[in-house]
Amino acid sequence: MGHWNKLTYYVTRADTLEIVTSTHFTQDTSIYRITWTGPCEYKSLLLNPKIELDSFLLQQNPTGTSHKIVKATDDYFIVKNYGRKDTIWKAR
């Protein structure tokens, strides 16, 4: 999505909880429950749906969305979900 090329999300994760905040929309903070299903695989379940799309996604995936970490380095990791890959950079 080229028009969002300056969009940054900050992800804070504990073992079973993930908090995602946007730099553009700071009021748009999402909280997920994390359930590890394997050494590099987990499910995330949105705990605070705010809009109709969130509720729709929860109806489509009532037990959460599956994610698989396919590569990790000291600086980033690549996760695969919904059939696509995304790079998540570690903040220093």
Side-chain angles (χ1 to χ4, degrees):
M1 295 186 353
H3 63 286
W4 290 113
N5 61 1
K6 298 288 183 186
L7 186 62
T8 301
Y9 287 97
Y10 286 98
V11 178
T12 304
R13 182 182 292 166
D15 188 47
T16 59
L17 196 65
E18 178 178 272
I19 301 169
V20 180
T21 305
S22 165
T23 58
H24 273 66
F25 311 104
T26 53
Q27 72 281 5
D28 184 21
T29 297
S30 299
I31 301 171
Y32 297 88
R33 179 180 320 133
I34 301 295
T35 306
W36 289 94
T37 57
C40 296
E41 298 180 27
Y42 63 95
K43 285 191 173 187
S44 62
L45 180 64
L46 183 63
L47 297 178
N48 62 333
K50 294 183 208 109
I51 60 174
E52 193 171 316
L53 177 60
D54 292 339
S55 297
F56 171 77
L57 292 172
L58 283 172
Q59 289 174 3
Q60 299 296 65
N61 302 296
T63 62
T65 302
S66 295
H67 307 270
K68 182 175 184 177
I69 299 170
V70 295
K71 181 179 180 179
T73 72
D74 288 341
D75 298 318
Y76 66 89
F77 65 94
I78 298 174
V79 65
K80 184 176 182 180
N81 56 19
Y82 295 113
R84 61 184 165 85
K85 293 179 183 176
D86 197 5
T87 303
I88 300 173
W89 293 90
K90 297 177 183 176
R92 300 267 179 212

